[in-house]
Amino acid sequence: MAQVTLKGNPVQVNGQLPQAGSKAPAFSLVAGNLSDVSLKDFAGKRKVLNIFPSVDTPTCATSVRKFNAQANELSNTVVLCISADLPFAQARFCGAEGLENVQNLSTLRGSEFIENYGVAIADGPLKGLTARAVVVLDEDDKVLHSELVKEIAEEPNYDAALAVLK
């Protein structure tokens, strides 16, 4: 179990984030058309997993915008924005913002993802949602970088996450 904070208050997070050098756990999440999408669906591509509680919060929205802006510069890479938001809300946000370089995935039917990736918020007002984290995978699903953001209300280290892809 890890501990992060939400506006300075301690929050427990169940599990352990996959570490650099390890094989990423398989997952199944929900795409915008309500179909199930697995890690295998992105085989042969590098993957940036931008994991956060909800796109309806300012910091989460900022992370989606920033990764969207930088995604065009990344060859053979897909940016997956993963949250508990329903696919409808994710699509509404990206449509309103004109964001087309990221793919949203929902944990609607992905409780094993939340546990296996060590991002399950176990207590506090966001219990049941995901902590803020970034996991970067190579074409073979080897973890190149991982960060569990220590303060949920703060942005991840974009430079560190993307540096492993350059």
Side-chain angles (χ1 to χ4, degrees):
M1 184 175 287
Q3 183 173 316
V4 297
T5 58
L6 176 61
K7 298 182 181 178
N9 298 308
V11 174
Q12 300 301 315
V13 180
N14 286 336
Q16 182 175 350
L17 197 65
Q19 297 300 302
S22 68
K23 181 81 166 172
F27 64 74
S28 179
L29 296 167
V30 180
N33 63 2
L34 298 178
S35 67
D36 291 329
V37 175
S38 72
L39 182 58
K40 287 187 241 177
D41 292 318
F42 304 101
K45 291 195 174 284
R46 302 182 307 171
K47 293 147 289 273
V48 176
L49 310 183
N50 177 29
I51 306 162
F52 52 88
S54 173
V55 76
D56 285 325
T57 64
T59 306
C60 300
T62 297
S63 74
V64 174
R65 287 184 198 105
K66 285 192 178 180
F67 277 120
N68 180 77
Q70 296 178 27
N72 275 342
E73 301 170 17
L74 306 171
S75 64
N76 194 38
T77 303
V78 61
V79 177
L80 305 175
C81 293
I82 302 168
S83 69
D85 297 295
L86 293 176
F88 317 112
Q90 294 170 333
R92 182 184 65 242
F93 171 78
C94 285
E97 296 276 332
L99 306 178
E100 299 177 349
N101 300 324
V102 296
Q103 183 169 343
N104 292 298
L105 297 174
S106 175
T107 59
L108 173 64
R109 293 187 295 272
S111 60
E112 72 284 343
F113 172 86
I114 297 170
E115 294 298 326
N116 292 342
Y117 276 77
V119 293
I121 296 177
D123 60 11
L126 298 181
K127 181 179 180 179
L129 298 178
T130 58
R132 183 176 316 288
V134 176
V135 180
V136 181
L137 310 176
D138 72 6
E139 297 87 345
D140 299 314
D141 301 331
K142 178 181 168 188
V143 178
L144 301 174
H145 168 84
S146 65
E147 175 193 11
L148 178 63
V149 179
K150 296 300 177 193
E151 168 56 54
I152 294 172
E154 292 180 3
E155 295 175 59
N157 185 337
Y158 303 103
D159 292 337
L162 298 176
V164 299
L165 297 174
K166 295 185 179 181

Short mmCIF file of all heavy atoms in Angstrom, two decimals, residues 82-154:
data_model
loop_
_atom_site.label_atom_id
_atom_site.label_comp_id
_atom_site.label_asym_id
_atom_site.label_seq_id
_atom_site.Cartn_x
_atom_site.Cartn_y
_atom_site.Cartn_z
N ILE A 82 -6.76 7.31 -18.88
CA ILE A 82 -7.55 6.30 -18.17
C ILE A 82 -8.13 6.90 -16.89
O ILE A 82 -7.40 7.38 -16.03
CB ILE A 82 -6.67 5.08 -17.84
CG1 ILE A 82 -6.09 4.49 -19.12
CG2 ILE A 82 -7.46 4.05 -17.03
CD1 ILE A 82 -4.99 3.47 -18.91
N SER A 83 -9.46 6.84 -16.78
CA SER A 83 -10.14 7.36 -15.59
C SER A 83 -11.43 6.59 -15.36
O SER A 83 -11.83 5.77 -16.18
CB SER A 83 -10.45 8.85 -15.77
OG SER A 83 -11.45 9.04 -16.76
N ALA A 84 -12.08 6.90 -14.25
CA ALA A 84 -13.35 6.26 -13.93
C ALA A 84 -14.52 6.91 -14.64
O ALA A 84 -15.65 6.43 -14.56
CB ALA A 84 -13.58 6.29 -12.42
N ASP A 85 -14.25 8.00 -15.36
CA ASP A 85 -15.33 8.67 -16.09
C ASP A 85 -15.98 7.71 -17.09
O ASP A 85 -15.31 6.87 -17.68
CB ASP A 85 -14.78 9.87 -16.87
CG ASP A 85 -14.20 10.93 -15.96
OD1 ASP A 85 -14.98 11.51 -15.18
OD2 ASP A 85 -12.98 11.16 -16.02
N LEU A 86 -17.27 7.87 -17.29
CA LEU A 86 -17.94 7.10 -18.31
C LEU A 86 -17.43 7.54 -19.68
O LEU A 86 -17.06 8.70 -19.87
CB LEU A 86 -19.45 7.29 -18.23
CG LEU A 86 -20.12 6.71 -16.98
CD1 LEU A 86 -21.60 7.05 -16.97
CD2 LEU A 86 -19.90 5.22 -16.89
N PRO A 87 -17.42 6.65 -20.65
CA PRO A 87 -16.97 7.02 -21.99
C PRO A 87 -17.69 8.24 -22.57
O PRO A 87 -17.11 9.02 -23.31
CB PRO A 87 -17.26 5.76 -22.82
CG PRO A 87 -17.15 4.65 -21.83
CD PRO A 87 -17.73 5.22 -20.56
N PHE A 88 -18.94 8.45 -22.20
CA PHE A 88 -19.71 9.59 -22.70
C PHE A 88 -19.11 10.91 -22.21
O PHE A 88 -18.98 11.86 -22.96
CB PHE A 88 -21.17 9.49 -22.26
CG PHE A 88 -21.75 8.11 -22.40
CD1 PHE A 88 -22.09 7.37 -21.28
CD2 PHE A 88 -21.93 7.55 -23.65
CE1 PHE A 88 -22.61 6.09 -21.41
CE2 PHE A 88 -22.45 6.26 -23.79
CZ PHE A 88 -22.79 5.53 -22.66
N ALA A 89 -18.73 10.95 -20.93
CA ALA A 89 -18.13 12.16 -20.37
C ALA A 89 -16.74 12.40 -20.96
O ALA A 89 -16.37 13.54 -21.26
CB ALA A 89 -18.04 12.04 -18.84
N GLN A 90 -15.98 11.33 -21.15
CA GLN A 90 -14.66 11.47 -21.75
C GLN A 90 -14.78 12.04 -23.16
O GLN A 90 -14.03 12.95 -23.54
CB GLN A 90 -13.95 10.11 -21.79
CG GLN A 90 -13.61 9.57 -20.42
CD GLN A 90 -13.13 8.12 -20.47
OE1 GLN A 90 -13.47 7.35 -21.38
NE2 GLN A 90 -12.32 7.74 -19.50
N ALA A 91 -15.71 11.51 -23.95
CA ALA A 91 -15.91 11.98 -25.32
C ALA A 91 -16.39 13.43 -25.34
O ALA A 91 -15.95 14.23 -26.18
CB ALA A 91 -16.91 11.08 -26.04
N ARG A 92 -17.27 13.78 -24.45
CA ARG A 92 -17.77 15.15 -24.36
C ARG A 92 -16.64 16.12 -24.08
O ARG A 92 -16.49 17.15 -24.74
CB ARG A 92 -18.85 15.27 -23.28
CG ARG A 92 -19.46 16.66 -23.16
CD ARG A 92 -20.46 16.78 -22.01
NE ARG A 92 -19.77 16.60 -20.73
CZ ARG A 92 -20.02 15.62 -19.87
NH1 ARG A 92 -20.92 14.70 -20.14
NH2 ARG A 92 -19.36 15.54 -18.75
N PHE A 93 -15.77 15.77 -23.13
CA PHE A 93 -14.64 16.64 -22.78
C PHE A 93 -13.71 16.82 -23.96
O PHE A 93 -13.37 17.93 -24.35
CB PHE A 93 -13.88 16.07 -21.58
CG PHE A 93 -12.60 16.80 -21.31
CD1 PHE A 93 -12.62 18.02 -20.66
CD2 PHE A 93 -11.38 16.29 -21.73
CE1 PHE A 93 -11.43 18.72 -20.44
CE2 PHE A 93 -10.20 16.97 -21.52
CZ PHE A 93 -10.23 18.19 -20.86
N CYS A 94 -13.27 15.71 -24.56
CA CYS A 94 -12.31 15.79 -25.67
C CYS A 94 -12.94 16.48 -26.87
O CYS A 94 -12.26 17.25 -27.57
CB CYS A 94 -11.78 14.42 -26.03
SG CYS A 94 -10.57 13.83 -24.82
N GLY A 95 -14.22 16.26 -27.12
CA GLY A 95 -14.90 16.93 -28.23
C GLY A 95 -14.97 18.43 -28.02
O GLY A 95 -14.68 19.21 -28.93
N ALA A 96 -15.33 18.84 -26.82
CA ALA A 96 -15.42 20.27 -26.51
C ALA A 96 -14.06 20.95 -26.58
O ALA A 96 -13.96 22.12 -26.93
CB ALA A 96 -16.04 20.46 -25.12
N GLU A 97 -13.01 20.21 -26.24
CA GLU A 97 -11.66 20.76 -26.22
C GLU A 97 -10.94 20.59 -27.56
O GLU A 97 -9.84 21.10 -27.74
CB GLU A 97 -10.83 20.05 -25.13
CG GLU A 97 -11.35 20.29 -23.73
CD GLU A 97 -10.85 21.59 -23.13
OE1 GLU A 97 -9.75 22.05 -23.50
OE2 GLU A 97 -11.56 22.14 -22.28
N GLY A 98 -11.51 19.81 -28.48
CA GLY A 98 -10.85 19.55 -29.76
C GLY A 98 -9.62 18.68 -29.62
O GLY A 98 -8.66 18.82 -30.37
N LEU A 99 -9.64 17.75 -28.68
CA LEU A 99 -8.49 16.89 -28.42
C LEU A 99 -8.63 15.59 -29.21
O LEU A 99 -9.56 14.81 -28.97
CB LEU A 99 -8.38 16.58 -26.91
CG LEU A 99 -8.34 17.81 -25.99
CD1 LEU A 99 -8.28 17.38 -24.54
CD2 LEU A 99 -7.19 18.73 -26.35
N GLU A 100 -7.72 15.36 -30.13
CA GLU A 100 -7.82 14.19 -31.01
C GLU A 100 -6.59 13.29 -30.97
O GLU A 100 -6.57 12.28 -31.66
CB GLU A 100 -8.04 14.66 -32.45
CG GLU A 100 -9.32 15.45 -32.63
CD GLU A 100 -9.50 15.98 -34.04
OE1 GLU A 100 -8.55 15.92 -34.84
OE2 GLU A 100 -10.62 16.46 -34.32
N ASN A 101 -5.59 13.64 -30.17
CA ASN A 101 -4.34 12.87 -30.16
C ASN A 101 -4.23 11.91 -28.98
O ASN A 101 -3.17 11.33 -28.77
CB ASN A 101 -3.15 13.82 -30.17
CG ASN A 101 -3.14 14.70 -31.39
OD1 ASN A 101 -3.52 14.26 -32.47
ND2 ASN A 101 -2.72 15.94 -31.23
N VAL A 102 -5.28 11.80 -28.20
CA VAL A 102 -5.29 10.86 -27.06
C VAL A 102 -6.48 9.93 -27.23
O VAL A 102 -7.44 10.26 -27.91
CB VAL A 102 -5.36 11.60 -25.70
CG1 VAL A 102 -4.13 12.46 -25.47
CG2 VAL A 102 -6.62 12.44 -25.59
N GLN A 103 -6.39 8.78 -26.59
CA GLN A 103 -7.51 7.85 -26.57
C GLN A 103 -7.96 7.67 -25.14
O GLN A 103 -7.15 7.36 -24.26
CB GLN A 103 -7.11 6.50 -27.17
CG GLN A 103 -8.27 5.55 -27.23
CD GLN A 103 -7.97 4.31 -28.06
OE1 GLN A 103 -7.04 4.27 -28.85
NE2 GLN A 103 -8.78 3.29 -27.87
N ASN A 104 -9.24 7.89 -24.89
CA ASN A 104 -9.79 7.74 -23.55
C ASN A 104 -10.24 6.31 -23.31
O ASN A 104 -10.84 5.70 -24.19
CB ASN A 104 -10.98 8.68 -23.35
CG ASN A 104 -10.56 10.11 -23.33
OD1 ASN A 104 -9.80 10.53 -22.49
ND2 ASN A 104 -11.06 10.87 -24.29
N LEU A 105 -9.95 5.83 -22.11
CA LEU A 105 -10.42 4.52 -21.68
C LEU A 105 -10.99 4.65 -20.27
O LEU A 105 -10.44 5.37 -19.44
CB LEU A 105 -9.27 3.50 -21.69
CG LEU A 105 -8.64 3.23 -23.05
CD1 LEU A 105 -7.43 2.31 -22.90
CD2 LEU A 105 -9.65 2.62 -24.02
N SER A 106 -12.07 3.96 -20.03
CA SER A 106 -12.75 4.02 -18.74
C SER A 106 -12.52 2.75 -17.92
O SER A 106 -12.47 1.65 -18.48
CB SER A 106 -14.26 4.20 -18.97
OG SER A 106 -14.97 4.15 -17.76
N THR A 107 -12.45 2.94 -16.62
CA THR A 107 -12.34 1.79 -15.71
C THR A 107 -13.72 1.25 -15.34
O THR A 107 -13.84 0.46 -14.41
CB THR A 107 -11.57 2.18 -14.43
OG1 THR A 107 -12.26 3.25 -13.78
CG2 THR A 107 -10.14 2.59 -14.74
N LEU A 108 -14.74 1.64 -16.10
CA LEU A 108 -16.11 1.19 -15.88
C LEU A 108 -16.19 -0.31 -15.59
O LEU A 108 -16.86 -0.73 -14.65
CB LEU A 108 -16.96 1.55 -17.10
CG LEU A 108 -18.39 1.04 -17.15
CD1 LEU A 108 -19.22 1.65 -16.03
CD2 LEU A 108 -19.01 1.36 -18.51
N ARG A 109 -15.53 -1.11 -16.39
CA ARG A 109 -15.47 -2.56 -16.17
C ARG A 109 -14.02 -3.00 -15.97
O ARG A 109 -13.66 -4.11 -16.34
CB ARG A 109 -16.08 -3.30 -17.37
CG ARG A 109 -17.56 -3.10 -17.53
CD ARG A 109 -18.17 -3.98 -18.61
NE ARG A 109 -17.70 -3.72 -19.96
CZ ARG A 109 -18.23 -2.83 -20.79
NH1 ARG A 109 -19.26 -2.11 -20.41
NH2 ARG A 109 -17.72 -2.66 -22.00
N GLY A 110 -13.20 -2.14 -15.38
CA GLY A 110 -11.78 -2.41 -15.28
C GLY A 110 -11.24 -2.42 -13.87
O GLY A 110 -10.15 -1.89 -13.60
N SER A 111 -11.98 -3.02 -12.95
CA SER A 111 -11.50 -3.02 -11.56
C SER A 111 -10.17 -3.74 -11.41
O SER A 111 -9.35 -3.37 -10.56
CB SER A 111 -12.55 -3.64 -10.62
OG SER A 111 -12.82 -4.97 -11.01
N GLU A 112 -9.91 -4.75 -12.26
CA GLU A 112 -8.62 -5.44 -12.17
C GLU A 112 -7.48 -4.52 -12.59
O GLU A 112 -6.38 -4.62 -12.06
CB GLU A 112 -8.60 -6.74 -12.98
CG GLU A 112 -8.57 -6.56 -14.49
CD GLU A 112 -9.89 -6.14 -15.13
OE1 GLU A 112 -10.96 -6.26 -14.52
OE2 GLU A 112 -9.84 -5.67 -16.29
N PHE A 113 -7.74 -3.60 -13.50
CA PHE A 113 -6.71 -2.62 -13.88
C PHE A 113 -6.34 -1.77 -12.67
O PHE A 113 -5.16 -1.57 -12.38
CB PHE A 113 -7.20 -1.71 -15.02
CG PHE A 113 -6.25 -0.57 -15.30
CD1 PHE A 113 -5.19 -0.74 -16.17
CD2 PHE A 113 -6.41 0.66 -14.69
CE1 PHE A 113 -4.30 0.30 -16.42
CE2 PHE A 113 -5.53 1.70 -14.92
CZ PHE A 113 -4.46 1.51 -15.79
N ILE A 114 -7.34 -1.27 -11.98
CA ILE A 114 -7.12 -0.40 -10.83
C ILE A 114 -6.26 -1.10 -9.79
O ILE A 114 -5.32 -0.52 -9.24
CB ILE A 114 -8.47 0.05 -10.23
CG1 ILE A 114 -9.24 0.89 -11.25
CG2 ILE A 114 -8.26 0.83 -8.95
CD1 ILE A 114 -10.67 1.19 -10.86
N GLU A 115 -6.54 -2.35 -9.52
CA GLU A 115 -5.77 -3.12 -8.54
C GLU A 115 -4.39 -3.50 -9.07
O GLU A 115 -3.38 -3.31 -8.40
CB GLU A 115 -6.54 -4.38 -8.13
CG GLU A 115 -7.82 -4.12 -7.37
CD GLU A 115 -7.62 -3.40 -6.04
OE1 GLU A 115 -6.59 -3.62 -5.37
OE2 GLU A 115 -8.51 -2.60 -5.68
N ASN A 116 -4.34 -4.05 -10.30
CA ASN A 116 -3.07 -4.53 -10.85
C ASN A 116 -2.06 -3.43 -11.13
O ASN A 116 -0.86 -3.68 -11.15
CB ASN A 116 -3.31 -5.33 -12.13
CG ASN A 116 -4.03 -6.63 -11.87
OD1 ASN A 116 -4.09 -7.12 -10.75
ND2 ASN A 116 -4.62 -7.18 -12.91
N TYR A 117 -2.55 -2.23 -11.35
CA TYR A 117 -1.64 -1.10 -11.60
C TYR A 117 -1.38 -0.29 -10.34
O TYR A 117 -0.69 0.73 -10.39
CB TYR A 117 -2.16 -0.23 -12.74
CG TYR A 117 -1.75 -0.81 -14.09
CD1 TYR A 117 -2.42 -1.91 -14.61
CD2 TYR A 117 -0.69 -0.28 -14.80
CE1 TYR A 117 -2.03 -2.46 -15.82
CE2 TYR A 117 -0.30 -0.83 -16.02
CZ TYR A 117 -0.97 -1.92 -16.51
OH TYR A 117 -0.58 -2.47 -17.71
N GLY A 118 -1.92 -0.71 -9.20
CA GLY A 118 -1.61 -0.07 -7.93
C GLY A 118 -2.08 1.36 -7.81
O GLY A 118 -1.41 2.21 -7.22
N VAL A 119 -3.26 1.65 -8.36
CA VAL A 119 -3.77 3.03 -8.34
C VAL A 119 -5.14 3.14 -7.65
O VAL A 119 -5.81 4.16 -7.79
CB VAL A 119 -3.83 3.62 -9.76
CG1 VAL A 119 -2.43 3.80 -10.34
CG2 VAL A 119 -4.68 2.76 -10.70
N ALA A 120 -5.55 2.12 -6.90
CA ALA A 120 -6.87 2.12 -6.26
C ALA A 120 -6.85 2.98 -5.00
O ALA A 120 -6.21 2.64 -4.00
CB ALA A 120 -7.28 0.69 -5.90
N ILE A 121 -7.55 4.10 -5.04
CA ILE A 121 -7.66 4.94 -3.84
C ILE A 121 -8.53 4.21 -2.84
O ILE A 121 -9.68 3.86 -3.13
CB ILE A 121 -8.23 6.33 -4.18
CG1 ILE A 121 -7.25 7.07 -5.12
CG2 ILE A 121 -8.48 7.14 -2.91
CD1 ILE A 121 -7.74 8.43 -5.58
N ALA A 122 -7.98 3.97 -1.66
CA ALA A 122 -8.63 3.10 -0.66
C ALA A 122 -9.44 3.86 0.38
O ALA A 122 -10.25 3.25 1.08
CB ALA A 122 -7.57 2.24 0.03
N ASP A 123 -9.21 5.17 0.52
CA ASP A 123 -9.94 5.92 1.53
C ASP A 123 -10.05 7.38 1.11
O ASP A 123 -9.55 7.78 0.07
CB ASP A 123 -9.29 5.78 2.91
CG ASP A 123 -7.86 6.27 2.96
OD1 ASP A 123 -7.39 6.92 2.00
OD2 ASP A 123 -7.18 6.01 3.96
N GLY A 124 -10.74 8.16 1.93
CA GLY A 124 -10.90 9.57 1.64
C GLY A 124 -12.03 9.83 0.65
O GLY A 124 -12.72 8.91 0.21
N PRO A 125 -12.21 11.09 0.27
CA PRO A 125 -13.35 11.46 -0.58
C PRO A 125 -13.29 10.89 -1.99
O PRO A 125 -14.33 10.82 -2.65
CB PRO A 125 -13.30 13.00 -0.61
CG PRO A 125 -11.91 13.36 -0.23
CD PRO A 125 -11.41 12.26 0.66
N LEU A 126 -12.12 10.47 -2.46
CA LEU A 126 -12.00 9.90 -3.81
C LEU A 126 -11.92 8.38 -3.80
O LEU A 126 -11.57 7.76 -4.80
CB LEU A 126 -10.78 10.48 -4.53
CG LEU A 126 -10.78 11.99 -4.76
CD1 LEU A 126 -9.53 12.42 -5.50
CD2 LEU A 126 -12.03 12.44 -5.49
N LYS A 127 -12.28 7.76 -2.66
CA LYS A 127 -12.26 6.30 -2.56
C LYS A 127 -13.01 5.67 -3.72
O LYS A 127 -14.13 6.09 -4.06
CB LYS A 127 -12.88 5.86 -1.24
CG LYS A 127 -12.89 4.36 -1.04
CD LYS A 127 -13.51 3.98 0.29
CE LYS A 127 -13.51 2.47 0.46
NZ LYS A 127 -14.09 2.08 1.75
N GLY A 128 -12.39 4.68 -4.35
CA GLY A 128 -12.99 4.01 -5.49
C GLY A 128 -12.51 4.52 -6.83
O GLY A 128 -12.71 3.87 -7.85
N LEU A 129 -11.87 5.68 -6.84
CA LEU A 129 -11.31 6.23 -8.07
C LEU A 129 -9.83 5.85 -8.17
O LEU A 129 -9.30 5.18 -7.28
CB LEU A 129 -11.47 7.75 -8.11
CG LEU A 129 -12.91 8.28 -8.10
CD1 LEU A 129 -12.92 9.80 -8.09
CD2 LEU A 129 -13.69 7.76 -9.30
N THR A 130 -9.17 6.30 -9.22
CA THR A 130 -7.76 6.01 -9.38
C THR A 130 -6.91 7.19 -8.92
O THR A 130 -7.30 8.35 -9.11
CB THR A 130 -7.40 5.71 -10.85
OG1 THR A 130 -7.76 6.83 -11.65
CG2 THR A 130 -8.10 4.46 -11.34
N ALA A 131 -5.76 6.87 -8.37
CA ALA A 131 -4.78 7.89 -8.04
C ALA A 131 -4.19 8.41 -9.35
O ALA A 131 -4.33 7.79 -10.40
CB ALA A 131 -3.69 7.31 -7.16
N ARG A 132 -3.52 9.54 -9.29
CA ARG A 132 -2.86 10.10 -10.48
C ARG A 132 -1.52 9.40 -10.68
O ARG A 132 -0.70 9.35 -9.77
CB ARG A 132 -2.64 11.60 -10.32
CG ARG A 132 -2.03 12.26 -11.56
CD ARG A 132 -1.91 13.76 -11.41
NE ARG A 132 -3.09 14.39 -10.84
CZ ARG A 132 -4.27 14.56 -11.44
NH1 ARG A 132 -4.41 14.13 -12.68
NH2 ARG A 132 -5.27 15.13 -10.83
N ALA A 133 -1.33 8.86 -11.88
CA ALA A 133 -0.09 8.14 -12.17
C ALA A 133 0.17 8.19 -13.67
O ALA A 133 -0.75 8.42 -14.46
CB ALA A 133 -0.20 6.69 -11.72
N VAL A 134 1.42 7.96 -14.03
CA VAL A 134 1.80 7.81 -15.44
C VAL A 134 2.68 6.57 -15.55
O VAL A 134 3.61 6.40 -14.76
CB VAL A 134 2.57 9.04 -15.96
CG1 VAL A 134 3.04 8.81 -17.40
CG2 VAL A 134 1.72 10.29 -15.87
N VAL A 135 2.34 5.71 -16.49
CA VAL A 135 3.14 4.51 -16.78
C VAL A 135 3.43 4.52 -18.27
O VAL A 135 2.50 4.65 -19.08
CB VAL A 135 2.40 3.22 -16.37
CG1 VAL A 135 3.25 1.99 -16.68
CG2 VAL A 135 2.00 3.25 -14.89
N VAL A 136 4.71 4.42 -18.62
CA VAL A 136 5.11 4.42 -20.02
C VAL A 136 5.64 3.03 -20.38
O VAL A 136 6.48 2.49 -19.66
CB VAL A 136 6.19 5.49 -20.29
CG1 VAL A 136 6.59 5.49 -21.76
CG2 VAL A 136 5.69 6.88 -19.86
N LEU A 137 5.11 2.48 -21.48
CA LEU A 137 5.46 1.13 -21.91
C LEU A 137 6.10 1.16 -23.29
O LEU A 137 5.73 1.98 -24.14
CB LEU A 137 4.20 0.26 -21.99
CG LEU A 137 3.27 0.25 -20.78
CD1 LEU A 137 2.04 -0.59 -21.08
CD2 LEU A 137 3.99 -0.24 -19.55
N ASP A 138 7.02 0.23 -23.52
CA ASP A 138 7.59 0.10 -24.87
C ASP A 138 6.68 -0.76 -25.74
O ASP A 138 5.58 -1.16 -25.31
CB ASP A 138 9.03 -0.42 -24.82
CG ASP A 138 9.15 -1.89 -24.43
OD1 ASP A 138 8.13 -2.61 -24.30
OD2 ASP A 138 10.30 -2.35 -24.27
N GLU A 139 7.13 -1.08 -26.95
CA GLU A 139 6.33 -1.85 -27.89
C GLU A 139 6.01 -3.26 -27.40
O GLU A 139 5.04 -3.88 -27.85
CB GLU A 139 7.07 -1.98 -29.23
CG GLU A 139 7.32 -0.66 -29.94
CD GLU A 139 8.60 0.05 -29.52
OE1 GLU A 139 9.20 -0.29 -28.48
OE2 GLU A 139 9.02 0.97 -30.24
N ASP A 140 6.81 -3.77 -26.47
CA ASP A 140 6.62 -5.12 -25.93
C ASP A 140 6.02 -5.12 -24.53
O ASP A 140 6.09 -6.11 -23.81
CB ASP A 140 7.95 -5.87 -25.93
CG ASP A 140 8.51 -6.00 -27.34
OD1 ASP A 140 7.75 -6.36 -28.25
OD2 ASP A 140 9.72 -5.74 -27.52
N ASP A 141 5.46 -3.98 -24.12
CA ASP A 141 4.80 -3.81 -22.82
C ASP A 141 5.75 -3.86 -21.62
O ASP A 141 5.33 -4.14 -20.50
CB ASP A 141 3.64 -4.80 -22.64
CG ASP A 141 2.60 -4.63 -23.73
OD1 ASP A 141 2.45 -3.51 -24.24
OD2 ASP A 141 1.94 -5.63 -24.08
N LYS A 142 7.01 -3.58 -21.86
CA LYS A 142 7.97 -3.43 -20.76
C LYS A 142 7.83 -2.01 -20.23
O LYS A 142 7.73 -1.04 -20.99
CB LYS A 142 9.40 -3.66 -21.28
CG LYS A 142 10.46 -3.47 -20.22
CD LYS A 142 11.83 -3.70 -20.82
CE LYS A 142 12.91 -3.24 -19.87
NZ LYS A 142 14.23 -3.29 -20.52
N VAL A 143 7.80 -1.88 -18.91
CA VAL A 143 7.66 -0.57 -18.28
C VAL A 143 8.98 0.19 -18.41
O VAL A 143 10.02 -0.28 -17.98
CB VAL A 143 7.25 -0.71 -16.79
CG1 VAL A 143 7.15 0.65 -16.13
CG2 VAL A 143 5.93 -1.48 -16.66
N LEU A 144 8.88 1.37 -19.02
CA LEU A 144 10.05 2.24 -19.18
C LEU A 144 10.11 3.30 -18.09
O LEU A 144 11.18 3.77 -17.72
CB LEU A 144 10.01 2.94 -20.54
CG LEU A 144 10.00 2.04 -21.77
CD1 LEU A 144 9.82 2.88 -23.03
CD2 LEU A 144 11.28 1.21 -21.82
N HIS A 145 8.94 3.70 -17.60
CA HIS A 145 8.84 4.77 -16.60
C HIS A 145 7.52 4.61 -15.85
O HIS A 145 6.50 4.23 -16.44
CB HIS A 145 8.86 6.14 -17.30
CG HIS A 145 8.48 7.29 -16.42
ND1 HIS A 145 9.38 7.92 -15.60
CD2 HIS A 145 7.29 7.91 -16.23
CE1 HIS A 145 8.76 8.89 -14.94
NE2 HIS A 145 7.50 8.89 -15.31
N SER A 146 7.53 4.91 -14.57
CA SER A 146 6.28 4.96 -13.81
C SER A 146 6.40 6.01 -12.73
O SER A 146 7.47 6.22 -12.15
CB SER A 146 5.92 3.60 -13.21
OG SER A 146 6.85 3.20 -12.24
N GLU A 147 5.30 6.70 -12.51
CA GLU A 147 5.23 7.73 -11.47
C GLU A 147 3.86 7.70 -10.82
O GLU A 147 2.85 7.87 -11.51
CB GLU A 147 5.48 9.12 -12.07
CG GLU A 147 5.30 10.24 -11.07
CD GLU A 147 5.24 11.64 -11.69
OE1 GLU A 147 5.11 11.76 -12.93
OE2 GLU A 147 5.29 12.61 -10.92
N LEU A 148 3.83 7.50 -9.53
CA LEU A 148 2.62 7.70 -8.74
C LEU A 148 2.76 9.11 -8.17
O LEU A 148 3.64 9.36 -7.35
CB LEU A 148 2.51 6.66 -7.62
CG LEU A 148 1.30 6.78 -6.69
CD1 LEU A 148 0.00 6.58 -7.46
CD2 LEU A 148 1.40 5.78 -5.55
N VAL A 149 1.94 10.02 -8.64
CA VAL A 149 2.06 11.43 -8.23
C VAL A 149 1.71 11.53 -6.76
O VAL A 149 0.64 11.08 -6.33
CB VAL A 149 1.17 12.33 -9.12
CG1 VAL A 149 1.29 13.78 -8.68
CG2 VAL A 149 1.55 12.16 -10.59
N LYS A 150 2.61 12.10 -5.99
CA LYS A 150 2.47 12.13 -4.53
C LYS A 150 1.32 12.99 -4.04
O LYS A 150 0.75 12.74 -2.98
CB LYS A 150 3.78 12.57 -3.87
CG LYS A 150 4.92 11.61 -4.11
CD LYS A 150 4.61 10.24 -3.55
CE LYS A 150 5.70 9.23 -3.83
NZ LYS A 150 5.28 7.89 -3.56
N GLU A 151 0.98 14.04 -4.79
CA GLU A 151 -0.16 14.91 -4.44
C GLU A 151 -1.15 14.83 -5.60
O GLU A 151 -0.84 15.27 -6.71
CB GLU A 151 0.31 16.34 -4.21
CG GLU A 151 -0.77 17.39 -4.13
CD GLU A 151 -1.84 17.15 -3.07
OE1 GLU A 151 -1.49 16.96 -1.88
OE2 GLU A 151 -3.04 17.16 -3.42
N ILE A 152 -2.31 14.27 -5.34
CA ILE A 152 -3.30 14.03 -6.39
C ILE A 152 -3.67 15.31 -7.13
O ILE A 152 -3.94 15.29 -8.33
CB ILE A 152 -4.56 13.33 -5.81
CG1 ILE A 152 -4.19 11.94 -5.32
CG2 ILE A 152 -5.68 13.26 -6.85
CD1 ILE A 152 -5.29 11.23 -4.56
N ALA A 153 -3.65 16.45 -6.44
CA ALA A 153 -4.04 17.72 -7.06
C ALA A 153 -2.92 18.33 -7.91
O ALA A 153 -3.11 19.40 -8.48
CB ALA A 153 -4.49 18.70 -5.98
N GLU A 154 -1.77 17.67 -8.01
CA GLU A 154 -0.66 18.19 -8.81
C GLU A 154 -0.50 17.37 -10.09
O GLU A 154 -0.89 16.21 -10.16
CB GLU A 154 0.64 18.16 -8.01
CG GLU A 154 0.64 19.13 -6.85
CD GLU A 154 1.92 19.11 -6.04
OE1 GLU A 154 2.87 18.38 -6.40
OE2 GLU A 154 1.97 19.83 -5.03
#
